[in-house]
Every structure is written in structure tokens, then in C-alpha cells.
Amino acid sequence: MILAVVLVVVLFVLVMIHDFFKKRTRSWKNLNKFPGNRPLPLIGNVLELGFDADEASHKLMDMWRKYGEGNFRLTVGSEEWILLSDANDVGTILSSHTELAKPLERNMAMMPFFGNSLSTSEGERWRSTRKLMNPSFQYKTLEKRVADVNNYCENLFNILDSHAGMKSVELYRYLRPYMFDLLCDSLMGVNFHLLDDPDHAYLEASRKVVNIITINYFSYWRNFRPLFVLTPYYREMKAIIKTIRDQSTEIIAKRRKILQKVIDDTKSNNKNVDIEIDKIISEKFADDVCLLDKFILSKSINGESIPDDVINEEISLVCFTGHYTTTMTMSHTLYCLAKYPEIQKRVYEEQLSVFNNDITRKPTNNDLSEMKYLEAVIKESIRVIPTVTKIGRQLKNDLEFKDGRIAPAGSSVILFFEAMSADSKTFPEPEKYKPERFLSNIHQFAFVPFSAGPRNCIGFRYAWVAMKATLSNILRRYEILPGEPGTEPQFKYRIVTESENGIQLRLKKREHC
């Protein structure tokens, strides 16, 4: 008993000594120039942040207001966070060509699902993967992407038409499989038709991913793996990961089968011709459209193929993030348009102008570029309901901001999108929904939902095409009306913002349809 007391006392003394010397380091002196409460030894400001992951963003917003609606610091366990809302400072970190690593806490939350993929990797793995993927997202591929959207919108309308004029339809339920089908066809070269099966196991599993990642991010005890693996939460997470990875395995297998048939047919048709078969096959897949082909057909310098487990990580990431974030953004935009019918009317009038009253014509990429007000509406919807709530960087070196303050090496710099969107210095009357604010020039780094700089979202062009073309098709076919009483969205500001009860709206077919 006495020995136990002695050990506790010794441990307490050691913790206090460590905290004493920590507060006298150069790093802490730099951190202390940002406002924030003094952290407690060992646990930091964890008690301020709380233990409910869904409440963390609200508490961080309260801190932001408390500290004068500017940058502030927070100690989370042993990690130091600097939360940025100032556009100049956001530009400093995003423009850096050396500070590209993602925050440790964020990576620990993401990696069980997506491994060392483009989102979490750094160094040579990140550079080589991004270089491989880049051609599939270039500007010259966009016209093909618009055509894909138009084709898949017909499948979506077959379902939505049955709900038009009826009670509310839950948009997540149908836009998620629609986007997954579209993405798989246009980027993976395979068809899955999940829109015909909205209760598919993949959709059910992926629906839970954002919540689990958010809990992993903010529930610090989960970092103690020996404890976490004993809980039912861990078993649930492993089952969801298996479902997601199995879906990616099936996607890869389907595409390999298609590729093998093309290769076999090419060899068969050219067996009596003295030419390089590999060159012909390479030319067949040189249109830079199918992303999955890049992974399957690429060879390393020593001639080795990319391992299937590496391909699986990247495909799992693209399929999940690609379908989920675009679904949330489109659904939330439609909710805002139902809430503000005068703005919806202006969007529709722009559509009439772009299509020269041929309102049933399918849009082209040139048409999309003319939809300035629709784009402003999407941006304002993202500002009001941020799709992604935070991104960040783990600093390798000290980073000096324009006001002279320094974020020390080892700290996490978090871009706090919710606070940036609520900053009245950048967005006057931030509580109001005003799309026209995006028709004027704003600070280059005040609104960066797809990040910016060398580590921006590689698929941002694809996302804009998919969202604008889909919304254009929907808004020309339906008038969007609020749902019945009691269906107001219950938003949770997780790693991705989503409504607990979905987005429930009523659809009214327009007279020309």
C-alpha cells in the first residue's frame, strides 16, 4: 500500500516537473502568443472540449467567439492545435510546399478505413499516387464527365418521379447511390446499379463511417489500442471496414476482367501482325479517363505492378469521399433552395437563359461554365453548411504568419471552416443566406472547401461538374419545396456535416416535364 502511494506521488511529481519545463520552452512561448486557456498537465484542454464528438464543433465555435473571433490554440492531450480562421494565415499554410503532412489525430482516425492512401500518405507514396491520378481529373476529361452525369440522371429521375407530388423524399437515400454509381462508371469503368438497391450493404456501412471517424478523432481513449480492441465499438468498426474494402475488391476484380478481355481480344486480332501488342494495348487506355486503369496497368521503375492492397486503399478512399461529400453538398444546396424560394426562382431563370428556353436539353461543360449564379448558390450553401468542417497540417518546421506569430514545429494547424464561414470581416451578415456575395471578389483563401495549394483536393473539377450538372438537371425538372412539419434537418458537424434525419424535401414536377 505504501509502495503504491509512493509511486503515485513520484508519478505526480514527474508530471508536474515535465509540465513546468514544457511551459518554459521556446515552442510554448510561441504557442502562448495565441489566445487560449492554460492547459492542465497531461490532459491539456480536453475537459473544455468535452467527450461528445458531436458537440466538439459547437464548443470550438464557442471558444472562437470567446477569443475574439480569431485564431486560437488548444492542447489536446499531448498534441498542440492552432485553429485558424484568418484568411491570410490560411493562405500561409496552404501555400507552403513543405508543410504537407496531415494532423496525427486526423490520420489515426482515417487510416483504419483508408490505409496509407492519398489522403493520409506523404513523401514519395503521396507524390507518386497523385501523379498517377492527376490525368483522370484534368480539364480535358470534363466533357466526358458531364455526359456521364446526364446519363445517370435519367436513372435518378426514374425514382424521383415516383415521389413527385407526394410526401417528402429523403435525398441522401437516393443521391448517395446515384453518386456512387456515377463515380464507379466514370472513374472505375464498372457498373454497380446501387440506385436500384439503396439498402445495399456498402451504402449501409459507409453511412456510419463519418460518425465513427469523428468519434475516433475526438475520443482520445480510442488511441489506446489495447483498450479499444476489447470494446464492441472496435468490432463494429472492423465489420464496416471489411464491407468497404470488400466492395473495392469487387470493383477491382470487375475492372480486371474487362481489361483482360480487351487484352485477349487485341492479342487475338493481331496475332499474325508484326507489331508491339503492349503498345497497342497502352494506346487503347491512353484517354486518361478511367482512374482505376491507371492503378491496374501502371508499372514501377523495376517493372512491378502496384499491389492490390495499395490499389484497394486508394479506391476505397475515392469511392467513399467522392460519393459522400458531393451528396452532402447537393442535398444541402437543395435544402437551402427549398428554404429560400426566391433564390430558387433566380436559379431557374438563369437555367432558362443558359438553355435559351430549350429547358429539357442536356447540359454541356460550356453550359455549366455559364451557370454563375448556380455556382454562387452552391458556394453559399457550403459556407452556411460546411461540407467538410476542418482540414489541417502537422508542422515539420516552425511556420511564421504575417503578424509575426509562429506556429511551432510539431503542432497541428487546423483550418476551422465553420469559423471562417462565420467571420463577419470576410462575410458581412454571415447569418444571412446571400449567394450574390460570391459574385464579387473575396479573399483568395477565405473560401477553400477543396483546400488549395499543392495538397488541394485532386478531384475538385470532377466534383464541381458532377454537382453543377446534377443540380441543373434536377432544378429544371422539379420545383423543390420544404418537407412536411417535423422533417427539418438535424445537422451534426462531424468531419463531414450531415443531418441525422437526412434531408427531406418535396418535389413538384415542372409543367414542361
Side-chain angles (χ1 to χ4, degrees):
M1 180 66 181
I2 295 176
L3 179 60
V5 172
V6 170
L7 288 174
V8 169
V9 171
V10 170
L11 180 61
F12 176 78
V13 170
L14 290 175
V15 168
M16 297 306 294
I17 291 173
H18 175 269
D19 186 68
F20 176 83
F21 283 106
K22 175 185 174 181
K23 296 299 190 298
R24 280 148 184 80
T25 63
R26 177 175 174 273
S27 288
W28 176 253
K29 290 177 181 178
N30 284 326
L31 283 166
N32 207 31
K33 292 179 181 178
F34 296 89
N37 285 345
R38 187 177 180 87
L40 296 173
L42 204 61
I43 65 172
N45 303 109
V46 165
L47 297 180
E48 292 179 62
L49 193 56
F51 299 94
D52 184 341
D54 280 347
E55 290 299 314
S57 282
H58 296 298
K59 292 189 176 183
L60 289 172
M61 282 298 292
D62 289 341
M63 294 179 199
W64 177 70
R65 295 186 184 96
K66 173 183 175 182
Y67 298 128
E69 300 189 352
N71 304 337
F72 65 98
R73 62 168 170 78
L74 189 72
T75 303
V76 183
S78 61
E79 299 298 323
E80 304 292 350
W81 293 5
I82 299 174
L83 288 93
L84 302 183
S85 60
D86 182 272
N88 289 316
D89 296 337
V90 168
T92 298
I93 184 62
L94 291 185
S95 299
S96 173
H97 286 263
T98 55
E99 299 298 343
L100 302 176
K102 299 293 182 71
L104 295 175
E105 303 88 347
R106 182 259 190 200
N107 280 356
M108 290 182 69
M110 293 277 289
M111 289 184 76
F113 295 91
F114 308 116
N116 194 32
S117 58
L118 186 69
S119 179
T120 53
S121 61
E122 52 185 290
E124 183 54 34
R125 167 74 186 264
W126 173 75
R127 283 189 291 271
S128 60
T129 302
R130 189 170 175 106
K131 182 179 180 180
L132 182 67
M133 295 174 67
N134 192 54
S136 296
F137 295 104
Q138 289 180 347
Y139 184 82
K140 66 180 180 178
T141 69
L142 297 186
E143 200 63 59
K144 171 68 166 61
R145 307 307 188 200
V146 178
D148 291 336
V149 172
N150 292 333
N151 290 334
Y152 274 88
C153 271
E154 292 304 315
N155 300 337
L156 180 64
F157 292 157
N158 288 338
I159 291 176
L160 296 186
D161 279 355
S162 66
H163 291 274
M166 309 291 283
K167 291 185 177 181
S168 300
V169 57
E170 205 285 277
L171 293 184
Y172 290 172
R173 177 173 175 80
Y174 299 114
L175 284 180
R176 282 187 55 223
Y178 156 78
M179 271 307 306
F180 182 85
D181 288 347
L182 169 62
L183 187 149
C184 278
D185 190 356
S186 60
L187 293 181
M188 308 302 163
V190 294
N191 298 303
F192 271 93
H193 307 292
L194 293 198
L195 189 55
D196 297 331
D197 184 14
D199 295 315
H200 188 277
Y202 174 83
L203 296 170
E204 284 295 301
S206 61
R207 182 178 58 82
K208 302 174 183 178
V209 168
V210 169
N211 187 37
I212 294 176
I213 289 177
T214 305
I215 294 172
N216 286 353
Y217 196 122
F218 290 104
S219 295
Y220 319 106
W221 64 270
R222 291 190 179 213
N223 293 332
F224 298 102
R225 188 175 176 83
L227 174 63
F228 182 38
V229 297
L230 299 176
T231 68
Y233 306 113
Y234 177 78
R235 292 191 290 275
E236 179 189 19
M237 185 179 80
K238 293 295 287 185
I240 290 170
I241 292 169
K242 183 179 186 304
T243 300
I244 290 172
R245 292 300 186 90
D246 286 350
Q247 185 71 25
S248 297
T249 298
E250 188 177 354
I251 290 171
I252 296 166
K254 277 194 170 190
R255 188 60 187 172
R256 281 193 187 280
K257 188 174 181 180
I258 293 170
L259 289 176
Q260 192 59 52
K261 185 177 187 310
V262 173
I263 292 169
D264 291 344
D265 289 347
T266 301
K267 289 180 177 179
S268 177
N269 294 334
N270 293 277
K271 58 186 177 183
N272 297 320
V273 182
D274 186 19
I275 56 175
E276 296 181 40
I277 297 296
D278 289 344
K279 184 177 180 180
I280 293 178
I281 293 170
S282 175
E283 290 173 352
K284 280 181 177 289
F285 301 106
D287 60 2
D288 296 331
V289 172
C290 184
L291 173 65
L292 183 50
D293 290 353
K294 304 294 181 187
F295 286 105
I296 294 175
L297 298 174
S298 292
K299 305 283 186 181
S300 64
I301 296 175
N302 58 13
E304 294 181 354
S305 299
I306 299 175
D308 271 10
D309 60 334
V310 173
I311 299 176
N312 192 294
E313 289 177 349
E314 302 295 350
I315 298 310
S316 295
L317 175 73
V318 172
C319 285
F320 175 77
T321 57
H323 96 273
Y324 212 92
T325 56
T326 49
T327 292
M328 298 301 117
T329 302
M330 290 189 296
S331 299
H332 301 164
T333 299
L334 291 169
Y335 162 70
C336 290
L337 289 174
K339 190 174 180 179
Y340 302 102
E342 71 283 359
I343 293 176
Q344 183 178 169
K345 180 181 178 183
R346 185 172 170 184
V347 171
Y348 185 67
E349 288 171 349
E350 180 186 62
Q351 295 294 306
L352 289 173
S353 175
V354 169
F355 289 90
N356 196 24
N357 291 323
D358 183 8
I359 203 67
T360 60
R361 178 171 62 81
K362 299 300 182 185
T364 63
N365 193 44
N366 285 336
D367 293 328
L368 299 185
S369 66
E370 293 181 34
M371 298 177 190
K372 305 299 185 185
Y373 192 67
L374 175 59
E375 182 171 318
V377 164
I378 298 171
K379 288 179 177 179
E380 180 69 348
S381 300
I382 295 173
R383 186 193 70 82
V384 172
I385 311 169
T387 305
V388 175
T389 58
K390 301 165 194 69
I391 62 173
R393 299 289 185 267
Q394 189 81 23
L395 296 185
K396 304 290 187 183
N397 304 285
D398 288 356
L399 183 72
E400 183 173 354
F401 296 118
K402 289 188 176 180
D403 64 2
R405 288 186 295 184
I406 295 173
S411 59
S412 292
V413 175
I414 309 296
L415 278 61
F416 192 10
F417 284 159
E418 295 138 293
M420 291 170 64
S421 297
D423 190 342
S424 59
K425 298 186 293 295
T426 306
F427 301 108
E429 300 181 301
E431 72 284 356
K432 293 185 178 180
Y433 186 84
K434 296 170 59 177
E436 56 270 18
R437 70 173 86 240
F438 285 101
L439 298 176
S440 304
N441 290 330
I442 62 172
H443 192 293
Q444 179 184 359
F445 294 100
F447 181 79
V448 283
F450 294 97
S451 189
R455 194 147 190 174
N456 69 338
C457 173
I458 194 170
F460 76 95
R461 292 189 185 91
Y462 179 92
W464 272 114
V465 163
M467 293 189 298
K468 289 179 76 173
T470 300
L471 290 172
S472 171
N473 282 318
I474 289 175
L475 291 166
R476 286 180 290 114
R477 191 176 185 89
Y478 309 104
E479 180 182 357
I480 314 300
L481 303 171
E484 287 83 8
T487 61
E488 188 70 12
Q490 299 170 12
F491 289 114
K492 299 293 184 181
Y493 293 87
R494 295 165 176 160
I495 298 302
V496 173
T497 303
E498 55 188 356
S499 169
E500 284 274 83
N501 60 332
I503 300 294
Q504 302 185 52
L505 301 173
R506 290 178 294 131
L507 307 176
K508 179 182 177 182
K509 285 191 76 172
R510 298 194 184 271
E511 291 182 1
H512 57 79
C513 294

